[in-house]
Amino acid sequence: MSIAAIDAKHAGKFDDRELTAEVIRSFDATPDPRLKFILEQVVTSLHDLVRRTNLTFEEWERAIDFLTRTGQACTPLRQEFILLSDVLGVSMLVDAVNHREREGATQTTVLGPFYVGEHKPTPHGSDISQGIAGEPMFVRSRVTDLAGQPLAGAEIDVWHADDDGFYDSQKPSYGTQGPSLRARFVTDAEGRFAFRTILPCSYPIPTDGPVGELIAATKRHPMRPAHVHFLVKAQGFEPLVTHVFIEGDQYLDSDAVFGVKDELVARIERHDEPLMPDGTPASEPWHLMAYEFQMKPGAGVVPEPMMAAAE
Ligand code: BEZ
Ligand code: FE
């Protein structure tokens, strides 16, 4: 305790710095040192914020109400708190501090709320967009180590939004129909996998909850640039959570969740040939996404889906 704080305490005066110190001391007996450290940092940052802003009672109540409603908006199919973390850049920051060294390895980005987890492996070349309107796209990819050696047997989960900007899991039909615009592939002996789908488009994050209020109040737009999500797992390598973005998208510089990295933006070629690379006839012009993933040796936790996969 500082001399000034001791004097203030003896004089019976309230000292807000001493309040902060007292709260931090209240954690002294916490057995888990990491929990103790994080709690100390949270209290230090929150108390500093209140001091720096001279937070009014109205503002404090508004913040409590906002956070309460954010929690109330969460359901087994919706995670408004993660969305809040995303639009405040916290999700990308957590990702960044956990992936500081990625020399030569594919860059990471946010998982997002529409990952639903395990699916049975899908044969190479499958069309994962059956019955969904959109411009055809062929995705040709390979998974390697940092030296470019192919990784056979790697598992890749892919998912993306439809032409209207919705994931299958956002639709009422989810749960009764099989997955669409999502699948799992396993790389062949050359580390390759390929599939057919539709060209994704940019879409808004959900704005019908408290996060949408924040977006509107700050005159931000809710759009994410067009992308395909990839989660790549290979034995002996860190799981890779990433997206491949479509070059030229108007929202690449203003992603609502700050998830774009230059290395993840791919040029998508437009083709008029009558056959796609696997010999499938194309009835209209099609697009080619060719993108390879370089895996970093190590281990890591595979993210848990927030909602169950449709049967
Ligand atoms: C997504 O790309 O699926 C996503 C990521 C963060 C917030 C909302 C959506
Ligand atoms: Fe997405």
Side-chain angles (χ1 to χ4, degrees):
M1 205 185 301
S2 70
I3 305 279
I6 292 169
D7 285 350
K9 203 169 174 109
H10 283 157
K13 281 202 209 127
F14 178 79
D15 176 340
D16 66 74
R17 297 274 168 196
E18 172 48 22
L19 170 69
T20 304
E22 199 178 335
V23 178
I24 287 175
R25 279 197 302 277
S26 76
F27 302 134
D28 275 356
T30 310
D32 179 341
R34 179 71 179 167
L35 176 64
K36 177 171 182 280
F37 173 68
I38 303 265
L39 286 171
E40 287 167 359
Q41 295 302 313
V42 167
V43 168
T44 304
S45 296
L46 279 177
H47 284 215
D48 280 350
L49 175 110
V50 173
R51 266 189 285 270
R52 274 201 315 274
T53 57
N54 277 324
L55 200 71
T56 66
F57 278 111
E58 288 74 20
E59 289 159 345
W60 176 76
E61 274 166 20
R62 209 165 153 190
I64 298 279
D65 174 62
F66 179 81
L67 293 174
T68 303
R69 289 186 297 107
T70 300
Q72 287 164 342
C74 295
T75 72
L77 293 181
R78 176 172 185 150
Q79 232 304 349
E80 193 78 358
F81 263 115
I82 296 189
L83 195 60
L84 180 59
S85 160
D86 293 338
V87 301
L88 295 180
V90 176
S91 307
M92 273 309 277
L93 193 55
V94 173
D95 186 61
V97 300
N98 282 279
H99 294 116
R100 287 199 197 278
E101 298 296 330
R102 290 202 68 78
E103 201 51 50
T106 303
Q107 289 295 327
T108 53
T109 188
V110 288
L111 180 70
F114 303 120
Y115 174 59
V116 302
E118 310 295 316
H119 284 289
K120 288 187 233 39
T122 307
H124 288 207
S126 297
D127 182 1
I128 68 167
S129 67
Q130 274 175 7
I132 305 225
E135 297 177 31
M137 180 169 81
F138 191 88
V139 178
R140 189 172 64 199
S141 185
R142 205 163 73 102
V143 180
T144 73
D145 66 12
L146 294 184
Q149 291 304 309
L151 296 178
E155 285 181 345
I156 303 99
D157 288 349
V158 306
W159 65 104
H160 71 88
D162 67 14
D163 233 18
D164 296 321
F166 291 107
Y167 286 78
D168 57 356
S169 54
Q170 290 178 285
K171 299 179 197 168
S173 57
Y174 183 71
T176 55
Q177 293 173 4
S180 75
L181 302 180
R182 74 172 74 237
R184 165 171 294 183
F185 298 94
V186 178
T187 54
D188 66 12
E190 267 108 49
R192 297 184 188 282
F193 69 98
F195 60 96
R196 285 176 287 137
T197 186
I198 53 166
L199 188 69
C201 58
S202 44
Y203 65 86
I205 60 166
T207 53
D208 55 346
V211 171
E213 288 171 30
L214 187 149
I215 293 286
T218 53
K219 301 276 182 232
R220 280 168 53 172
H221 71 68
M223 300 302 288
R224 294 220 64 205
H227 58 272
V228 178
H229 293 255
F230 293 87
L231 166 57
V232 188
K233 290 173 278 177
Q235 200 87 50
F237 294 83
E238 286 184 7
L240 171 66
V241 175
T242 197
H243 307 355
V244 176
F245 294 94
I246 311 296
E247 191 182 76
D249 190 287
Q250 62 171 311
Y251 299 108
L252 282 172
D253 292 332
S254 62
D255 181 4
V257 305
F258 308 96
V260 180
K261 294 178 178 173
D262 289 351
E263 301 89 329
L264 299 177
V265 180
R267 169 160 300 154
I268 309 298
E269 293 172 8
R270 189 176 183 277
H271 287 261
D272 294 312
E273 296 90 335
L275 297 183
M276 292 199 187
D278 64 348
T280 308
S283 55
E284 54 182 308
W286 50 280
H287 304 270
L288 175 65
M289 173 186 277
Y291 196 90
E292 302 200 344
F293 299 95
Q294 284 81 39
M295 301 293 283
K296 185 179 174 189
V301 180
V302 176
E304 287 290 325
M306 284 192 321
M307 49 182 110
E311 286 306 313

